Amino acid sequence: MGLSSVLVGYGYHMWIPLVISIALVLIGRWVFINAQVKIKGPDFPLGFAYSLDMFLPLIRLEEKHYNDCEILDWRKQYLVFHKLLGWVLSFYVIAAVSGLTKL
C-alpha cells in the first residue's frame, strides 16, 4: 500500500484528495486563526481564506496574503509544511487524472 493508494486511490477514488484537502485547509484555519503576524496595510483576519490561499499552489486568491502579511511565530514553519502538502497532493491529483497512477 503506497502513497498513491492513500492519496488518490490509484486514480479511481478521486473523492479522497478532496476530503484530504478540506481537512488540511480546516486544520490550517485552526492553526492560522490566532497567529502572530506583522501586517503591512489594512488589518485583516487570518483564517479559512488564508489557509486555502496558501494550500492551493499556482492560484492566488488574495494578493494581500502574499504581500501584506508575515507570520512571526511557530506557525511560520507550519506554513511551509502546509504549502508542501498542497504541492504534493496537487501533483498526485494531476498524475491520477492523466492516468499515470493506473499503469
Side-chain angles (χ1 to χ4, degrees):
M1 185 155 146
L3 198 55
S4 182
S5 171
V6 173
L7 292 181
V8 291
Y10 295 113
Y12 293 106
H13 304 289
M14 293 307 294
W15 57 270
I16 296 172
L18 180 64
V19 171
I20 293 171
S21 297
I22 291 170
L24 289 171
V25 168
L26 291 175
I27 290 169
R29 181 206 174 274
W30 178 76
V31 168
F32 298 128
I33 196 80
N34 294 319
Q36 296 174 4
V37 294
K38 185 168 91 177
I39 297 176
K40 306 168 206 154
D43 193 15
F44 59 90
L46 297 181
F48 182 78
Y50 183 77
S51 177
L52 181 63
D53 203 6
M54 294 297 115
F55 184 74
L56 295 174
L58 304 176
I59 298 173
R60 288 187 172 211
L61 301 175
E62 286 283 342
E63 199 62 35
K64 66 184 177 182
H65 292 155
Y66 296 91
N67 297 331
D68 298 341
C69 178
E70 180 183 350
I71 296 179
L72 301 175
D73 55 2
W74 62 270
R75 291 167 181 94
K76 192 171 194 173
Q77 285 79 25
Y78 177 77
L79 177 60
V80 173
F81 180 69
H82 190 73
K83 287 182 177 183
L84 180 65
L85 289 176
W87 278 101
V88 169
L89 194 59
S90 297
F91 281 128
Y92 268 95
V93 168
I94 290 169
V97 168
S98 66
L100 294 174
T101 58
K102 297 175 188 174
L103 298 176

